[in-house]
Amino acid sequence: MAYGASIMSHSLRCLVCSITLCLASTAWAAGSNEPPANSTDVSKTEFAAGRAAIERKDWANAISIFNGIVTREPRNADAWNWLGYSYRRNRKLDEAFKAYGTALKINPAHLGAHEYVGEAWLMAGKPDKAREHLEALASLCKSRCEEHATLKKSIADWQAGRQNRYY
């Protein structure tokens, strides 16, 4: 009986650890600007360099940095998201759509990727596709997140023919 209880206790601990790791990675992938705690020092440094390149609007450098990260960490949804963002801001929409698609395959609840791919669809002149991602955000965050508000405003600006810094 003690052996069975020990196995059950071990299984329960494994389950709790797995759930904890999933929740931590989901929180990270929702759109944080910081690399996950389990990233290597190299990827943390590269991630910071990529974000700095984005802040400088140095799209080519940001693309290079995030391409390096996703090559080594192909399951890093945030790196894929920022790679898509860099491509989009560099007006390379085909590459942006591929990167956002990968981010959303890894984490379908990635708020940043939904917002940014919606803005890419506006750039491509397809507001209905942008609205699909607005609906996804409404479902994911009950319309109470920054990503939803930003994409909603971008769609309204696009429909009114107003320029918007996001697309």
Side-chain angles (χ1 to χ4, degrees):
M1 192 72 157
Y3 177 73
S6 175
I7 290 174
M8 179 68 102
S9 175
H10 176 73
S11 296
L12 184 59
R13 281 194 308 268
C14 289
L15 177 64
V16 169
C17 286
S18 295
I19 291 169
T20 302
L21 286 172
C22 285
L23 290 174
S25 66
T26 300
W28 153 245
S32 170
N33 290 337
E34 299 299 323
N38 61 351
S39 291
T40 66
D41 288 338
V42 172
S43 66
K44 287 178 184 178
T45 301
E46 282 180 304
F47 198 90
R51 292 290 293 135
I54 286 172
E55 293 297 319
R56 293 189 312 273
K57 298 179 179 10
D58 182 356
W59 310 124
N61 193 28
I63 289 166
S64 177
I65 291 167
F66 286 112
N67 261 321
I69 295 171
V70 300
T71 297
R72 284 185 315 284
E73 299 179 26
R75 302 281 308 150
N76 186 330
D78 278 322
W80 282 106
N81 178 52
W82 289 117
L83 177 61
Y85 180 90
S86 301
Y87 276 130
R88 176 173 61 90
R89 296 305 298 254
N90 202 28
R91 304 275 181 204
K92 295 182 177 183
L93 291 182
D94 288 340
E95 292 91 339
F97 286 124
K98 289 175 189 170
Y100 291 135
T102 301
L104 289 169
K105 281 181 188 168
I106 295 166
N107 180 4
H110 195 292
L111 302 179
H114 279 291
E115 174 194 346
Y116 293 155
V117 75
E119 290 163 352
W121 283 118
L122 292 174
M123 290 174 71
K126 300 196 179 202
D128 289 343
K129 297 292 253 175
R131 281 188 207 93
E132 289 175 18
H133 291 279
L134 183 66
E135 289 173 18
L137 285 168
S139 175
L140 291 167
C141 62
K142 309 292 186 246
S143 304
R144 293 186 194 131
C145 61
E146 180 181 345
E147 293 84 358
H148 180 271
T150 302
L151 182 55
K152 184 176 181 178
K153 181 178 181 337
S154 294
I155 291 170
D157 286 347
W158 189 90
Q159 288 175 318
R162 293 187 297 261
Q163 271 301 331
N164 181 305
R165 70 182 181 125
Y166 296 109
Y167 62 84

